[in-house]
Amino acid sequence: MLTRVLWLFGCFSLIFSNALSAQDPLSAIDWLSDSLAAPVSLPSGTAEHGAVRSALPEDVSVSDIDAPSLDGVGLLPISVTGLPRDLWGRSRSADLAGRFQFDQMDMLPAMQELLYTLLLAELDPPLDTGHGSVLFLARLDSLLALGALEKARSLLELSGQNKPALFRRAFDVSMLMHTEDEACEVLRTTPALSPTFPARVFCLARGGDWDAAALSLETGRALGFLTEFEDALLARFLDPILFEGDPAPRVEGHPSPLVFRMMGAIGEPLPTANLPRAFAYADLNTNSGWKAQIEAAERLVKSGALDPNRLVGLYSERRPAASGGVWDRVSAIQALDKALKFRDVTAISQALPMVWEVMALGELEVPFARIFAHRLEGIELNTDIQELVLNISLLAVSYENAALTFDAKSDRQKLLVAIAQGQPGDVFSADPTSAAIQDGFRAKGIPVRLQSLTNNHRMGEAILRAIALFANGANGDLDELTDALAFFRAIGLEDVARQASLQLLLLDRRG
């Protein structure tokens, strides 16, 4: 009798709690799992010492969402970034968070790298930092949007995962990285985290407690806390044999990582190509097919979320299974790698243009250049591909050394070499984009449109603004392109200005 009374009390508590605060998590990421229910508080002394095992979320107490210092947490110390510790200065946390919400995909690699530096930097928190840690959450969400799950996970580990806003993100990262048992263990051992019914059923089943998982499902169903889709998916997840031969539940829109993970568990894996970039990480698992792994790695390398060496490693695993698309890149990379190992000049000269063409189709020129440019050094290649070798070298990290040793002849080559050396060049370009870049290298001081931010000690916010200006400039607003480059050079981000300019001039795309 007592057990039933406590169970009913828990049911009514959960009903009341959900009625008050059932809402989507506040985030720029619209695919976060609804993994946590609203807090429930049962009278003290009930169900002590585990005497009663309820299928409902356990007793919790309300606590502050985050510590005030969380906005200062980072993976990169100032000794690595070279940024001043007070970079955020007088900027408001909300303003900075808003600046991180631009389209990270519409960026050249140099801008992506600068963005990553800001996302991962260990800096003094803004002056108005509060318990909500708005800036920290915005940085996490930007990393998730880029698909940089390993970096997001490292940040979460530094900050702790026992607060709802943080755990929602940690839970989803674990779903996509196939480390879900870790997240479920955190749920089990942290009473302040009250899981929703789908998350609880999933974790109980993962932990082998099938009876409790089934009881939670029945409770959620009886109380009306499960959608028709959730009910069908969880039932099949707990007993797939019972539904063998029946059509799988239909997923509408973008699934959450929890739904994505359970669909895979019932033998109905969802393709990731049309899902947000973070979902591609799930295909890096060795259980995925080789082609799926390569396609996932390409997506993540393009956003700067994955080391290019990992992609090259995948390209080299075995012989291509077909032709076209991914397989053309696999075949071309393997041919070039073989030619370079034997330093076969003729084979290299034949393979290099083919590799460049297929890597350009995948917008993977910069990752390719950074892996292979140094391997081309010192090899006397045919004259007709010398310009291609220059282009590849200028997209690599050692672009300045390449510019110093190349004998530029055409006006375009002279402009590229000049930009690589931090000069605007002696010949004014007739091409509007090239001319705007030259103007940026001739300009002195902070552009007017960014002076109010810098004068008010909001340098970090000004850098974020300049990243957006450069993206607009790359897409045709040439005045903004000039101002962005002038700003980067004025504040000492010379390398960023040079690499971004070279990439804009050399890559067959804008932004």
Side-chain angles (χ1 to χ4, degrees), residues 184-195:
C184 289
E185 177 64 14
V186 173
L187 274 182
R188 189 185 70 80
T189 59
T190 310
L193 299 174
S194 181

Side-chain angles (χ1 to χ4, degrees), residues 50 106 192 342 403 418 442:
D106 191 22
F342 290 99
R442 291 190 180 97

Side-chain angles (χ1 to χ4, degrees), residues 91-100 458 461 464:
S91 291
R92 295 172 59 247
S93 299
D95 292 338
L96 289 168
R99 296 285 187 190
F100 277 115
R458 296 159 66 185
E461 194 175 347
L464 288 168

Side-chain angles (χ1 to χ4, degrees), residues 300-336:
L300 296 171
V301 164
K302 282 195 289 187
S303 70
L306 194 70
D307 186 338
N309 283 292
R310 190 164 177 182
L311 174 60
V312 174
L314 285 169
Y315 283 149
S316 306
E317 276 193 359
R318 65 196 81 159
R319 295 176 62 85
S323 61
V326 165
W327 304 123
D328 285 348
R329 287 189 282 278
V330 171
S331 179
I333 288 289
Q334 290 184 5
L336 178 62

Side-chain angles (χ1 to χ4, degrees), residues 122-164:
E122 182 182 28
L123 301 167
D124 289 340
L127 297 178
D128 71 338
T129 294
H131 290 290
S133 297
V134 173
L135 176 57
F136 183 76
L137 293 176
R139 290 160 57 201
L140 278 175
D141 286 353
S142 290
L143 291 171
L144 294 178
L146 288 162
L149 299 189
E150 292 180 353
K151 296 179 175 65
R153 182 184 183 184
S154 295
L155 267 186
L156 284 162
E157 287 174 349
L158 285 179
S159 66
Q161 303 174 21
N162 60 344
K163 307 296 181 182

Side-chain angles (χ1 to χ4, degrees), residues 38-169:
V40 179
S41 296
L42 298 181
S44 59
T46 58
E48 286 185 359
H49 309 299
V52 177
R53 184 183 66 181
S54 171
L56 299 171
E58 298 177 9
D59 305 359
V60 302
S61 58
V62 178
S63 61
D64 291 336
I65 190 169
D66 288 315
S69 62
L70 200 55
D71 282 342
V73 170
L75 301 176
L76 304 178
I78 57 175
S79 59
V80 173
T81 65
L83 298 172
R85 182 171 290 279
D86 62 346
L87 184 73
W88 302 133
R90 296 178 180 174
S91 291
R92 295 172 59 247
S93 299
D95 292 338
L96 289 168
R99 296 285 187 190
F100 277 115
Q101 300 308 316
F102 46 70
D103 184 1
Q104 296 99 332
M105 296 305 109
D106 191 22
M107 285 185 183
L108 292 169
M111 291 295 104
Q112 283 183 347
E113 289 170 8
L114 178 57
L115 175 62
Y116 274 114
T117 299
L118 297 176
L119 290 172
L120 300 174
E122 182 182 28
L123 301 167
D124 289 340
L127 297 178
D128 71 338
T129 294
H131 290 290
S133 297
V134 173
L135 176 57
F136 183 76
L137 293 176
R139 290 160 57 201
L140 278 175
D141 286 353
S142 290
L143 291 171
L144 294 178
L146 288 162
L149 299 189
E150 292 180 353
K151 296 179 175 65
R153 182 184 183 184
S154 295
L155 267 186
L156 284 162
E157 287 174 349
L158 285 179
S159 66
Q161 303 174 21
N162 60 344
K163 307 296 181 182
L166 298 174
F167 183 78
R168 287 185 191 275
R169 291 152 176 85

Side-chain angles (χ1 to χ4, degrees), residues 156-425:
L156 284 162
E157 287 174 349
L158 285 179
S159 66
Q161 303 174 21
N162 60 344
K163 307 296 181 182
L166 298 174
F167 183 78
R168 287 185 191 275
R169 291 152 176 85
F171 183 85
D172 283 354
V173 168
S174 73
M175 293 297 112
L176 297 174
M177 294 185 71
H178 292 269
T179 58
E180 58 273 6
D181 290 344
E182 296 177 8
C184 289
E185 177 64 14
V186 173
L187 274 182
R188 189 185 70 80
T189 59
T190 310
L193 299 174
S194 181
T196 56
F197 282 103
R200 184 169 180 80
V201 170
F202 176 84
C203 284
L204 286 171
R206 287 293 304 178
D209 197 344
W210 298 96
D211 289 341
L215 178 58
S216 288
L217 174 58
E218 290 296 333
T219 303
R221 183 182 292 153
L223 296 176
F225 288 159
L226 297 173
T227 66
E228 183 177 344
F229 169 78
E230 289 172 336
D231 189 351
L233 178 58
L234 289 168
R236 184 180 291 248
F237 175 70
L238 291 182
D239 195 350
I241 296 178
L242 184 63
F243 297 91
E244 190 171 354
D246 293 346
R250 184 175 177 179
V251 178
E252 300 288 348
H254 285 164
S256 70
L258 178 57
V259 169
F260 176 84
R261 185 72 181 84
M262 285 196 289
M263 290 295 293
I266 66 173
E268 300 287 345
L270 300 174
T272 64
N274 295 321
L275 296 180
R277 192 170 300 254
F279 287 77
Y281 204 97
D283 281 340
L284 294 180
N285 190 282
T286 53
N287 292 330
S288 300
W290 184 35
K291 184 173 183 286
Q293 291 181 54
I294 294 173
E295 289 174 337
E298 288 183 342
R299 286 187 73 188
L300 296 171
V301 164
K302 282 195 289 187
S303 70
L306 194 70
D307 186 338
N309 283 292
R310 190 164 177 182
L311 174 60
V312 174
L314 285 169
Y315 283 149
S316 306
E317 276 193 359
R318 65 196 81 159
R319 295 176 62 85
S323 61
V326 165
W327 304 123
D328 285 348
R329 287 189 282 278
V330 171
S331 179
I333 288 289
Q334 290 184 5
L336 178 62
D337 182 61
K338 180 179 179 180
L340 287 169
K341 284 180 179 177
F342 290 99
R343 299 185 71 84
D344 185 332
V345 173
T346 300
I348 294 171
S349 297
Q350 292 174 346
L352 194 58
M354 296 176 61
V355 172
W356 186 252
E357 181 180 354
V358 295
M359 297 306 281
L361 288 174
E363 297 188 352
L364 293 161
E365 305 99 313
V366 173
F368 166 77
R370 295 188 175 178
I371 297 294
F372 284 91
H374 75 281
R375 297 182 63 183
L376 295 168
E377 294 175 0
I379 300 177
E380 295 295 332
L381 296 173
N382 297 344
T383 304
D384 58 344
I385 67 167
Q386 285 297 318
E387 184 165 1
L388 175 56
V389 174
L390 172 65
N391 293 348
I392 293 171
S393 299
L394 291 178
L395 292 174
V397 175
S398 57
Y399 65 89
E400 191 170 5
N401 290 336
L404 290 172
T405 58
F406 187 81
D407 182 19
K409 294 181 172 59
S410 68
D411 287 345
R412 177 171 175 76
Q413 290 175 352
K414 291 177 181 177
L415 173 62
L416 291 170
V417 167
I419 296 298
Q421 296 174 338
Q423 302 296 325

